[in-house]
Amino acid sequence: MRVTSMYTYPVKGCRRMDRDTARVEPWGLDGDRRWLIVDENGLGLSQRQHRELVTMRAISRPGGLTLEAPGRSPLDLAEPTDGEPLQVRVYRARPPAPVRAAGPEADEWLHRLLGRTVRLVWLGDPTGNLVPWPVPTEVGAELSFADGTPLLLANTASLDAFNGWLRESGSAEGPLPMIQFRPNVVVDGAAPWAEGEWVGRRIRIGGAVFQGAAECGRCLISTIDQETGERGREPLRMLAARRNIGRRLLFGLQLTVWAESGGVAEGRTVSVGDAVEVLD
């Protein structure tokens, strides 16, 4: 098994950023979902409210990022290390997270894109943003603005099987591309749905070790075309028919970072082409 592609999403809900290699941190891949757009009440916004975010590119770099969107001039931003301190929630049910405001220039740029008052914030210290449930001592509890765990793994064979079901059904929506599921790491060489057997097991990918936390229950965002923003009925309709387990429509594997020897060693990376090995 090997990694065939990797993606990060510097601003939660924005267009993917293709990666050849990425550094592994306790809260996920470097540069992944460290920025969040929030409303006037400090509540996170995503494609659930604004499908036009599929057109917004956020290109991360050490110390900052660049925002791009059709019809808008690019905006370069530095990490607001001295920005206004705020408390925001990625979802209503989540505990508040300490962040820094990016500032009025970023807010105005996003206002023109989304047509509403918003703020862009940066999670400078993910160690203060913990998953709101118990985790084993061997894995990190730190989290970026990801939905539930630091990374999402997807299996090309599972997508092939899913698209085969769509063809058999005569659906006009298939085949779906992998990016519609917004994974971080895509692997090839496994059997269809093998990732479901990796829950609770350690998985070595390149220079880092992860733990399978749970199969990923999919939401309405998976029905949004990540190129156009158009919404369809798939994959939820087919997952409801074929992959409805415990009332969750499952595709992909959520991963946590395994903290070997008391911590994640500096310099660990995952790259396209790296071997993937289930350790136990």
Side-chain angles (χ1 to χ4, degrees):
M1 296 186 291
R2 295 201 174 271
V3 177
T4 61
S5 54
M6 290 198 315
Y7 309 98
T8 53
Y9 309 86
V11 178
K12 184 176 178 64
C14 74
R15 191 177 181 87
R16 66 195 177 274
M17 181 177 172
D18 292 47
R19 303 289 297 270
D20 293 322
T21 189
R23 187 176 67 256
V24 177
E25 300 172 329
W27 41 85
L29 303 183
D30 71 275
D32 188 39
R33 289 169 291 193
R34 294 284 293 278
W35 301 74
L36 177 69
I37 303 168
V38 299
D39 65 16
E40 56 271 26
N41 297 313
L43 185 63
L45 299 174
S46 70
Q47 291 181 23
R48 288 177 177 85
Q49 299 85 12
H50 291 281
R51 284 181 280 164
E52 60 268 41
L53 285 173
V54 303
T55 68
M56 189 184 90
R57 295 183 183 274
I59 304 165
S60 63
R61 65 177 188 279
L65 84 169
T66 300
L67 301 181
E68 299 178 348
R72 305 284 299 128
S73 298
L75 178 64
D76 291 319
L77 296 171
E79 293 175 348
T81 54
D82 296 323
E84 179 187 354
L86 301 170
Q87 294 278 327
V88 303
R89 296 177 188 268
V90 66
Y91 297 116
R92 291 187 187 279
R94 288 283 181 87
V99 298
R100 296 279 181 170
E105 187 178 17
D107 298 346
E108 176 61 23
W109 194 95
L110 288 166
H111 177 272
R112 292 180 179 275
L113 178 67
L114 302 179
R116 62 181 293 182
T117 299
V118 296
R119 302 190 79 178
L120 180 66
V121 300
W122 173 66
L123 183 65
D125 182 13
T127 60
N129 188 42
L130 305 180
V131 297
W133 49 77
V135 298
T137 57
E138 299 86 358
V139 301
E142 301 96 336
L143 193 63
S144 66
F145 287 125
D147 279 357
T149 56
L151 292 93
L152 177 66
L153 176 147
N155 174 5
T156 59
S158 298
L159 180 64
D160 290 344
F162 174 86
N163 281 326
W165 295 338
L166 286 183
R167 286 193 299 273
E168 292 170 6
S169 73
S171 172
E173 293 189 35
L176 297 188
M178 182 64 85
I179 195 58
Q180 192 141 332
F181 295 93
R182 294 176 66 83
N184 291 114
V185 177
V186 180
V187 302
D188 195 15
W193 316 114
E195 62 273 25
E197 301 172 3
W198 303 346
V199 174
R201 303 170 72 180
R202 292 179 303 140
I203 305 150
R204 183 178 298 281
I205 307 175
V209 177
F210 306 89
Q211 185 178 52
E215 289 187 88
C216 184
R218 309 313 306 210
C219 67
L220 282 174
I221 287 180
S222 65
T223 66
I224 298 172
D225 187 310
Q226 293 298 304
E227 298 296 337
T228 68
E230 295 295 320
R231 179 174 287 163
R233 299 179 66 184
E234 300 295 356
L236 295 187
R237 182 172 62 174
M238 185 56 68
L239 291 177
R242 298 291 192 105
R243 292 281 295 165
N244 187 345
I245 302 173
R247 296 186 178 182
R248 299 174 69 234
L249 312 185
L250 302 181
F251 188 96
L253 178 68
Q254 293 177 302
L255 298 178
T256 52
V257 180
W258 186 268
E260 293 180 293
S261 302
V264 178
E266 292 293 327
R268 290 185 183 175
T269 62
V270 172
S271 301
V272 172
D274 278 350
V276 178
E277 179 185 5
V278 180
L279 298 179
D280 53 25

